[in-house]
Amino acid sequence: MTRTRLAPRRLLAAGLTVLAAAAATLVATAGPAAAATTPGVDVSNYQGSINWSSVRNAGVQFAFIKATEGTSYKDPRFNANYVNSYNAGVIRGAYHFARPNISSGAVQANYLASNGGAWSADSRTLPAALDLEGNPYAGGYCYGLSTTGMRNWVQNFLNTYRSRTGRYAVIYTTASWWNQCTGSWTAPWANHPLWVARWASTPGALPAGASFYSFWQYTSTGAVSGISGNVDRNYWNGARDRLIALANNT
């Protein structure tokens, strides 16, 4: 993602068979070779004011919208984007930019859930996403945590978010960050949908243990009617009805 959050930063992008039918909805609906058929975007304050009716008319069917970062920052355009995208018929979800070196995962999950990242079964609200990527601030690429420390932080966040909302959070990451900073941890992919970032013509190698991706961010320089300038473009790995099933937890 390319964003203005607390300070400008840029993602260093690199390039799930599920065990039960219920997990299939939560994790993915098609394998890596299947066509990525449902287009979407992700946005933040960086994009400025957005005409969501124009975005929907351009064929965009879903959007992840920056809600929170760390423990105290809420995107100033989140409320408008979250409501207006819904009203335009876009399936929307919130996302939280993780800062694992400033608080526990539980604190940040609660902050997200209390500031726009909650969930409701209304056919247009996705479970929120946890944005995990290279640290754009001081403290090291992996936020100064060991691989065990990072696993514990992420698990703490995921457990707390599920306790608050009843949903498994989506995880946004790159294969390189995940493998380096979590030590190629495989456990989350049994339940948590993968949103992989790789700005290329294919999603490439996935994080360790992930057999499928649910979302793929394939460029940071997309263009969409209703949005000024560059915007991140994404695909959902399946048809719209399966995306609605993920939204409704069915």
Side-chain angles (χ1 to χ4, degrees), residues 129-156:
L130 173 62
D131 178 353
L132 290 164
E133 55 186 275
N135 182 9
Y137 308 114
Y141 183 68
C142 297
Y143 298 87
L145 299 185
S146 66
T147 55
T148 298
M150 186 62 75
R151 292 184 188 191
N152 290 340
W153 190 95
V154 172
Q155 192 66 68
N156 192 223

Side-chain angles (χ1 to χ4, degrees), residues 3-64:
R3 293 290 173 269
T4 297
R5 289 187 168 94
L6 296 182
R9 55 98 180 175
R10 191 169 186 86
L11 171 69
L12 301 176
L16 280 147
T17 314
V18 292
L19 299 178
T25 296
L26 293 170
V27 180
T29 60
T37 57
T38 306
V41 297
D42 62 89
V43 301
S44 73
N45 185 54
Y46 180 84
Q47 274 71 40
S49 180
I50 295 173
N51 184 325
W52 284 101
S53 293
S54 294
V55 171
R56 182 67 185 94
N57 289 338
V60 170
Q61 300 192 46
F62 71 90
F64 278 104

Side-chain angles (χ1 to χ4, degrees), residues 14-17 27 132 147 151 154 171-197 203-213:
L16 280 147
T17 314
V27 180
L132 290 164
T147 55
R151 292 184 188 191
V154 172
I171 299 174
Y172 169 95
T173 195
T174 66
S176 59
W177 186 92
W178 184 265
N179 293 343
Q180 178 177 337
C181 296
T182 74
S184 298
W185 189 29
T186 63
W189 311 127
N191 296 301
H192 295 273
L194 168 62
W195 179 10
V196 65
L206 301 180
S211 300
F212 299 87
Y213 66 89

Side-chain angles (χ1 to χ4, degrees), residues 54-213:
S54 294
V55 171
R56 182 67 185 94
N57 289 338
V60 170
Q61 300 192 46
F62 71 90
F64 278 104
I65 298 167
K66 170 74 178 292
T68 51
E69 176 173 329
T71 60
S72 61
Y73 177 80
K74 182 172 179 178
D75 189 287
R77 294 190 184 271
F78 172 76
N79 288 346
N81 282 332
Y82 208 58
V83 172
N84 293 340
S85 59
Y86 179 96
N87 289 339
V90 175
I91 301 168
R92 84 279 165 87
Y95 77 84
H96 174 81
F97 183 77
R99 298 188 63 189
N101 56 344
I102 66 172
S103 79
S104 70
V107 167
Q108 294 189 37
N110 279 318
Y111 185 65
L112 168 64
S114 297
N115 287 278
W119 172 78
S120 57
D122 55 19
S123 297
R124 293 188 201 168
T125 302
L126 296 166
L130 173 62
D131 178 353
L132 290 164
E133 55 186 275
N135 182 9
Y137 308 114
Y141 183 68
C142 297
Y143 298 87
L145 299 185
S146 66
T147 55
T148 298
M150 186 62 75
R151 292 184 188 191
N152 290 340
W153 190 95
V154 172
Q155 192 66 68
N156 192 223
F157 183 103
L158 299 176
N159 289 347
T160 302
Y161 183 79
R162 187 156 192 260
S163 177
R164 284 288 304 269
T165 68
R167 297 303 308 271
Y168 292 105
V170 176
I171 299 174
Y172 169 95
T173 195
T174 66
S176 59
W177 186 92
W178 184 265
N179 293 343
Q180 178 177 337
C181 296
T182 74
S184 298
W185 189 29
T186 63
W189 311 127
N191 296 301
H192 295 273
L194 168 62
W195 179 10
V196 65
R198 185 171 188 261
W199 302 339
S201 59
T202 68
L206 301 180
S211 300
F212 299 87
Y213 66 89

